[in-house]
Amino acid sequence: MKRLLRPILLEFCRSHLILTAVVSLLTVLALTASGLLGLGNAVRDILPFPLQGAASELSGTLPALIPMILGLVAYLPAGRFTRKRNLLPRPDVEEALLLLLVPAAAFWLLLALAYLIPHGTGLLVAAMLLNCPAYGLFSLLAQFLGWGSGGSLWAVYVGGLVTGLLPPLLYLMGSYLPIAALDREEDLDEEFIEKQ
């Protein structure tokens, strides 16, 4: 258990919960505004003609793409900010693997149980809430592009795998972004160790 309690993983969980709550709230607000103001139809009219047919079914949910995409992009600065605020070194290989696989495994487990257990809708909703930006974005894109319709589920399986990895991967990439003061300290520590 102690191996799992790495600072970078705990900070990811905190940031992830905050981003998930914010993105969920913004998505609800965007969908409410879309319904009240008819923004979905305006977005649909802007799209190229071949995409308008698919967008007509989802015209009410198209504005939800904006907060979800912004929520996913926010993982990059969140990783960098967390590392800078807590003066953490760049994650080593073991920490990086834990950061990638533990949150993804929790999401995949909930998703698998939702499809294996009869009446597992609650678990599916829990998986959606656990990974709101990525799973919501994938669900909208899957419906918009017609993935999984016609009996082929490979896109759904691949999408589920990618969606579990996307938030921690973006956060990890953000934690590797350069921070001059911290990087200089790491270089000095490595030089000192080499001299010893």
Side-chain angles (χ1 to χ4, degrees):
M1 183 66 178
K2 192 176 180 181
R3 291 180 62 210
L4 290 177
L5 298 178
R6 300 295 178 94
I8 192 75
L9 183 60
L10 294 174
E11 290 298 328
F12 168 77
C13 290
R14 182 189 320 177
S15 300
H16 182 63
L17 289 174
I18 291 169
L19 285 172
T20 298
V22 169
V23 170
S24 298
L25 179 63
L26 290 176
T27 303
V28 167
L29 291 174
L31 290 174
T32 304
S34 170
L36 293 174
L37 303 174
L39 297 176
N41 293 329
V43 171
R44 186 193 65 212
D45 294 339
I46 296 171
L47 292 173
F49 184 73
L51 296 177
Q52 285 183 359
S56 63
E57 299 175 9
L58 302 170
S59 61
T61 57
L62 282 176
L65 290 174
I66 297 167
M68 288 184 190
I69 290 171
L70 291 176
L72 271 180
V73 171
Y75 280 92
L76 284 167
R80 185 179 188 280
F81 174 75
T82 299
R83 183 172 161 244
K84 185 176 182 179
R85 185 189 69 206
N86 296 326
L87 304 175
L88 296 173
R90 284 190 173 121
D92 58 9
V93 174
E94 184 180 354
E95 285 179 331
L97 285 175
L98 277 174
L99 178 61
L100 277 176
L101 296 179
V102 169
F107 171 71
W108 294 333
L109 180 67
L110 277 174
L111 207 57
L113 288 174
Y115 285 109
L116 290 176
I117 295 175
H119 310 293
T121 309
L123 290 169
L124 187 61
V125 170
M128 288 179 189
L129 292 175
L130 179 67
N131 206 348
C132 170
Y135 190 72
L137 184 63
F138 170 72
S139 298
L140 284 176
L141 286 176
Q143 290 177 352
F144 183 69
L145 298 172
W147 295 343
S149 61
S152 174
L153 293 177
W154 67 270
V156 175
Y157 296 139
V158 171
L161 290 174
V162 171
T163 339
L165 287 172
L166 200 53
L169 180 64
L170 290 171
Y171 189 86
L172 184 64
M173 288 169 55
S175 67
Y176 275 100
L177 291 174
I179 301 171
L182 288 177
D183 296 341
R184 208 172 316 124
E185 286 179 21
E186 284 181 30
D187 293 340
L188 289 174
D189 288 345
E190 287 175 8
E191 287 176 13
F192 179 76
I193 290 171
E194 286 174 4
K195 287 178 183 176
Q196 293 296 327

